[in-house]
Amino acid sequence: MVAGVMQSKDKEPKRAAILAASARMFDGRRFDAVKLDEISAAAGVGKGTLYLYFKNKEDLFAQMAIEGIDEMTERINKVTAMDLPFKERLFLFGYEFADFLARRHGVTQAMNQAQSACVEKTFHTHHNRMIEAIHELFRKGMAEGVLRNDMEEAELRCALVGPVILKVRRKANVGEAIELEPLLDFFWKGAAAVQKK
């Protein structure tokens, strides 16, 4: 039994190396342009080793994509639970979400080209968990009486996340500087409860 646990732990570094290599290979490239041979070479493993961890390229891509989504979801949950004034938590979320999007921009572009039922289903299940974590952050602000409660969480998410995504895309596509502080402050002034402005 102990040997089995050790073998399982020994596999984690290889899997992590494959996922890291995949992220590099897919960054800024079309999904169909990336070959498994390239990924295995970049990860320093044989191509056959990939199939010990992933069914095919679509499965590998989906696992790579959701790993980042799950990491961000966990971070949002931690920010939500922090013992800080809500405005600080909100701004921290904004900065961390923008950083997450910037680091994953190439993967997001490849995601739009994958057109695979496997990728779509797996990704959207995890993506919905991240959306729920964002909604929980807003619910916390409402419960604390600092966010207006006449709007749905989804409306607040769109009002904040949409402009952040646009800013990150503009930075990646045309090199436009990202100035999040004014954007976050603008959102706060519109979303804060009247007595807390």
Side-chain angles (χ1 to χ4, degrees), residues 5-36:
V5 172
M6 290 299 290
Q7 287 173 357
S8 177
K9 286 183 180 177
D10 289 344
K11 287 183 176 182
E12 284 307 306
K14 276 191 182 176
R15 183 178 186 277
I18 294 167
L19 290 172
S22 298
R24 292 193 304 274
M25 294 296 103
F26 281 110
D27 191 11
R29 297 175 66 192
R30 293 188 57 80
F31 175 80
D32 56 6
V34 178
K35 307 299 178 202
L36 288 177

Side-chain angles (χ1 to χ4, degrees), residues 2 5 11 13 34 36 39 59 61 69 82 100-101 115 121 128 131 138 142 146 153 157-158 160 166 169 174 181 187:
V2 175
V5 172
K11 287 183 176 182
V34 178
L36 288 177
I39 295 172
D59 182 43
F61 184 79
I69 291 283
M82 284 180 173
F100 163 74
L101 292 172
Q115 297 181 353
K121 182 179 178 184
N128 288 340
I131 289 173
F138 290 136
M142 290 176 190
V146 294
E153 298 93 333
R157 172 176 51 83
C158 290
L160 178 58
L166 181 61
R169 283 185 182 161
V174 297
E181 189 82 20
F187 174 83

Side-chain angles (χ1 to χ4, degrees), residues 26-182:
F26 281 110
D27 191 11
R29 297 175 66 192
R30 293 188 57 80
F31 175 80
D32 56 6
V34 178
K35 307 299 178 202
L36 288 177
D37 290 330
E38 295 178 82
I39 295 172
S40 63
V45 300
K47 185 176 176 182
T49 303
L50 297 182
Y51 292 104
L52 296 175
Y53 300 92
F54 309 99
K55 295 176 203 169
N56 50 39
K57 185 168 86 168
E58 287 78 10
D59 182 43
L60 168 56
F61 184 79
Q63 294 304 314
M64 178 200 61
I66 67 171
E67 190 170 86
I69 291 283
D70 289 348
E71 179 186 314
M72 188 62 215
T73 301
E74 185 179 336
R75 188 63 193 140
I76 295 167
N77 290 333
K78 286 181 180 175
V79 168
T80 300
M82 284 180 173
D83 187 21
L84 292 171
F86 183 80
K87 183 178 178 183
E88 289 182 36
R89 282 178 279 160
L90 180 72
F91 277 48
L92 181 58
F93 160 71
Y95 281 110
E96 294 209 11
F97 191 69
D99 179 64
F100 163 74
L101 292 172
R103 286 184 289 113
R104 309 283 294 180
H105 181 71
V107 173
T108 304
Q109 286 183 314
M111 175 70 67
N112 294 333
Q113 301 155 1
Q115 297 181 353
S116 160
C118 164
V119 172
E120 286 287 318
K121 182 179 178 184
T122 306
F123 176 77
H124 285 295
T125 298
H126 291 260
H127 186 257
N128 288 340
R129 289 180 195 149
M130 184 176 72
I131 289 173
E132 179 54 28
I134 296 170
H135 288 179
E136 183 56 30
L137 173 67
F138 290 136
R139 281 194 288 270
K140 192 90 165 176
M142 290 176 190
E144 292 173 17
V146 294
L147 278 187
R148 44 191 293 184
N149 60 10
D150 61 337
M151 295 180 73
E152 298 290 326
E153 298 93 333
E155 293 172 322
L156 290 169
R157 172 176 51 83
C158 290
L160 178 58
V161 169
V164 171
I165 291 172
L166 181 61
K167 285 271 189 188
V168 172
R169 283 185 182 161
R170 295 281 299 168
K171 168 69 175 172
N173 296 332
V174 297
E176 187 177 277
I178 298 178
E179 293 184 32
L180 280 182
E181 189 82 20

